[in-house]
Structures are given as C-alpha cells and as structure tokens.
Amino acid sequence: MIRLLHLSDPHFGAADEATAQAFLARAKELAPDLTVLSGDLTMRARRQELRDAKAFYEQLPQPRFVIPGNHDIPALNQPLDRFFRPFRRYRETFGKDLEPSLCTGSIEVIGLNSNRAFSRDLDWSKGYLSQDQLDGAARRFGPVSPGLRVLTLHHPLLAPPDHRRDVVKPLPPLLTMLSGSRVDLVLCGHFHQSRIGTVAGTSEWSSIVSQAPTVCSTRLQGEPPGFHMIHLDGDQLRVVLHRYEGDRFMEDSSEIFRRDETGWHVLL
Ligand SMILES: [Fe+2]
Ligand SMILES: [Fe+2]
C-alpha cells in the first residue's frame, strides 16, 4: 500500500492560521509515504509570505515535493522582479529547481512549471506548457515505471462545473504525453475546487487527475478548504477528499479507480 498526500494553494498572506494548524496535525496523523504541494504557496511572493510558507512546508510529513504556482511570482507593483526574475524569491526559499523530480520507494514524481510571468492573454494567471517541457517530461519519465508514475503541475486539466475558467494550455499535447508515458496520476490545483477524474490522450492509456482544493486559504470558491489522500493498493487506487468542518479535517467523499492494460478507469 502506498499513501500519498496531495495539498494545494495554501496562499500564505491570505491563509487561515487555525485551518493551517489543523491540517498540519491531520497530516502528521496520516503519515503518508509522500507529500506533494502543487503551488500557490503565497499571494504575491512577499518576503513574509514566503517565510510563512516555508515554515508550513517544513512541518509537512517527509519526503515532500513542491512546485510554484502563478501566485508565487511578484505582482505588477514590482515590475522588475515580475518580468526579469519572476521566480527569484521562490528559488531563494524553496530551491533553484522549478521542475524537480523525486523517486521514493515505488513512486516516481516529476514537476512541470505551468506559470508564466506574462503572456499574450490578458489574464496572466492562466497556465501554459511548451512542447519542450512536454518532450522533457517524457524523457525524464524513462521507459519503466517503478510502480506509480506521477506528474505535478499547478494548473488544472479538468474544467470547473461552470466552465468559466480555462484549463492548462495546450491540453491535447499534454494528454498525448500522459498517455505515451503511461502516467498514472496528475496532481494539480489552482481552481480551489476539488475535482477527481480521468483523462486520456489516446485510447491506449488513461490517467487519473487529482485537482485539490485550497488547503487553508480564505480564497474559497464555493467549497470549504480540503485536501486529497491517495491510497494505492496493487492496481486499485482510491482518492479521498478530506474537508475542513468545524475545527478539523474529516473524510468526505472518495473515488475508486482500477488499472488495466489501458490505464485507469472508475470503479463503479
Ligand atoms: Fe490558488
Ligand atoms: Fe493558481
């Protein structure tokens, strides 16, 4: 049995301290094999926000893995930092590598940086990946999976229920890479809404997507804070949504998937 804790979007600078502490206590009890934090650690990459985010990160169960989100880039009131060194402060706090890799036990995880300091689109919070990034990810995964192959990026793959916000672009080549590399699981965040499902670039392989809600921020999108706990047992994987209710995190709903020669499918 492998147990992976996926949290996202704590947003220090707009985080609720009681929720953050309740989460850390629950995470310690759960004692996962790996903890993954999929970005938006801060609001604007301010120095105090990064200090608070680092203190929180260092209390997460080990081993742990982190990537930046679009909010971990300074805002337009710091144009030099925003345009010329957008990730300098993040790197000084969490390390130089914006696209880290980790292999622990039978879990292989790689990160991709879908955040852009600016784009042709007026909304610079949106996520993009280049073909070079996708080709690099396919190379980094290599030919043989050790058991569970995981890709982490900040921006989501599954549209929200109202379809008013964009998923990461371009989606089709990302899905093709996921199928080609037989990625088991994609971890992402950004919408502050829990979504769990499957995606498939080809009929040969479908992957599970865990889109985690915000773990402790006050920037709620119609649902309370929460996180996902992922349990892998052979070819069966269960994603459990935990919600903050009252003063603690409680198990809410779950989705179960089964793996066969064409990837992962919902177990009805
Ligand atoms: Fe966020
Ligand atoms: Fe975000």
Side-chain angles (χ1 to χ4, degrees), residues 16 18 26 50 55 59 72 85 93 108 114 128 202:
D16 180 72
R26 189 77 187 104
L50 282 161
Q59 293 176 74
D72 301 318
R85 40 189 188 245
T93 312
E108 174 187 27
S114 55
Y128 297 89
T202 70

Side-chain angles (χ1 to χ4, degrees), residues 20-264:
Q21 291 304 320
F23 168 75
L24 289 171
R26 189 77 187 104
K28 198 172 174 184
E29 288 168 4
L30 289 166
D33 298 294
L34 174 66
T35 306
V36 177
L37 170 48
S38 53
D40 275 2
L41 285 78
T42 67
M43 286 302 296
R44 294 292 176 207
R46 296 181 185 99
R47 294 184 198 288
Q48 186 59 49
E49 293 173 357
L50 282 161
R51 276 194 289 274
D52 292 344
K54 184 73 182 295
F56 173 83
Y57 180 69
E58 287 184 337
Q59 293 176 74
L60 296 176
Q62 297 193 64
R64 52 200 173 214
F65 187 94
V66 64
I67 54 163
N70 57 296
H71 274 269
D72 301 318
I73 297 174
L76 285 171
N77 64 345
Q78 299 171 76
L80 283 179
D81 273 350
R82 170 112 201 160
F83 293 114
F84 295 106
R85 40 189 188 245
F87 295 102
R88 181 174 62 99
R89 290 184 180 183
Y90 175 89
R91 283 181 150 132
E92 286 171 357
T93 312
F94 289 100
K96 282 186 178 168
D97 198 350
L98 301 175
E99 299 194 327
S101 301
L102 177 72
C103 208
T104 173
S106 52
I107 311 174
E108 174 187 27
V109 53
I110 75 165
L112 285 181
N113 178 21
S114 55
N115 311 294
R116 299 292 183 264
F118 57 94
S119 70
R120 279 172 293 178
D121 203 304
L122 281 178
D123 181 354
W124 293 353
S125 71
K126 291 180 182 176
Y128 297 89
L129 293 171
S130 68
Q131 192 58 49
D132 277 355
Q133 285 179 290
L134 296 174
D135 293 344
R139 276 196 302 275
R140 288 159 69 194
F141 274 129
V144 181
S145 167
L148 189 71
R149 176 164 278 184
V150 183
L151 176 77
T152 307
L153 72 165
H154 176 63
H155 289 87
L157 281 67
L158 304 174
D162 58 14
H163 289 267
R164 283 192 305 160
R165 299 178 72 191
D166 285 341
V167 297
V168 64
K169 291 180 179 175
L171 190 59
L174 169 59
L175 299 186
T176 302
M177 186 278 284
L178 295 174
S179 289
S181 294
R182 296 187 164 237
V183 173
D184 296 294
L185 180 63
V186 182
L187 307 177
C188 51
H190 184 65
F191 283 159
H192 299 196
Q193 292 174 321
S194 172
R195 289 289 306 277
I196 301 161
T198 57
V199 291
T202 70
S203 58
E204 291 176 6
W205 188 263
S206 56
S207 311
I208 300 168
V209 177
S210 162
Q211 232 161 259
T214 172
V215 66
C216 62
S217 92
T218 55
R219 295 165 56 87
L220 301 175
Q221 294 288 330
E223 56 182 70
F227 65 90
H228 291 166
M229 192 70 195
I230 295 157
H231 307 255
L232 176 72
D233 191 0
D235 286 323
Q236 187 162 304
L237 187 147
R238 187 162 59 101
V239 185
V240 183
L241 167 64
H242 292 241
R243 288 285 194 207
Y244 189 62
E245 291 175 22
D247 60 355
R248 69 191 65 190
F249 282 88
M250 312 274 283
E251 278 196 24
D252 188 285
S253 53
S254 67
E255 293 276 352
I256 302 176
F257 302 88
R258 190 153 189 87
R259 180 167 49 187
D260 64 19
E261 63 281 358
T262 61
W264 291 93

